[in-house]
Amino acid sequence: MAKSIEEIRARIDQVDAEMRALFEERLDLVYQVAEYKFTNHGEIFDPKREAEVVKKHTEKLENADYKKYYTEFIHAVMDQSKRVQQAYIDEQDTKMV
């Protein structure tokens, strides 16, 4: 028997809750990366690393039909990470002035 729209939406809500928790954990780690890069004068954008991340994770997709969408998703996540890192570094630079 097919699931009802309510059942499907309830599962989407569960997945969204899991993603929210992972998002917060990821941002905590992004701040740690930003702190490291600030302290060690590292570059925020590392094109080689980004390409490796995309390749590594798209190859592990169980459904290859999702590759285009996952690639867009992971690029959006990494773009946000770069913005967070830049904001952190800018804030630290301001404190030093």
Side-chain angles (χ1 to χ4, degrees):
M1 177 194 240
K3 291 182 180 181
S4 71
I5 192 72
E6 291 81 15
E7 291 171 314
I8 296 167
R9 287 178 176 159
R11 181 60 187 132
I12 287 173
D13 287 345
Q14 291 171 343
V15 170
D16 287 347
E18 293 171 32
M19 289 175 58
R20 183 184 62 245
L22 290 171
F23 172 81
E24 288 182 299
E25 182 179 351
R26 191 178 201 288
L27 274 188
D28 288 343
L29 295 167
V30 167
Y31 276 107
Q32 291 176 38
V33 168
E35 183 178 16
Y36 179 90
K37 288 179 179 179
F38 176 75
T39 302
N40 295 285
H41 309 288
E43 294 294 322
I44 290 174
F45 179 55
D46 182 348
K48 182 179 175 192
R49 166 82 176 137
E50 286 196 16
E52 290 169 357
V53 168
V54 170
K55 183 177 188 294
K56 172 176 61 175
H57 291 293
T58 55
E59 287 176 349
K60 294 179 182 179
L61 284 172
E62 292 181 21
N63 186 335
D65 293 339
Y66 298 159
K67 182 176 181 176
K68 174 187 173 201
Y69 306 111
Y70 182 78
T71 300
E72 292 172 3
F73 169 77
I74 198 65
H75 276 294
V77 168
M78 290 187 294
D79 288 346
Q80 182 181 51
S81 295
K82 289 182 283 196
R83 288 191 306 273
V84 168
Q85 290 176 47
Q86 187 63 59
Y88 174 87
I89 289 170
D90 290 348
E91 182 180 321
Q92 298 311 307
D93 284 339
T94 302
K95 288 179 182 178
M96 295 181 76
V97 175

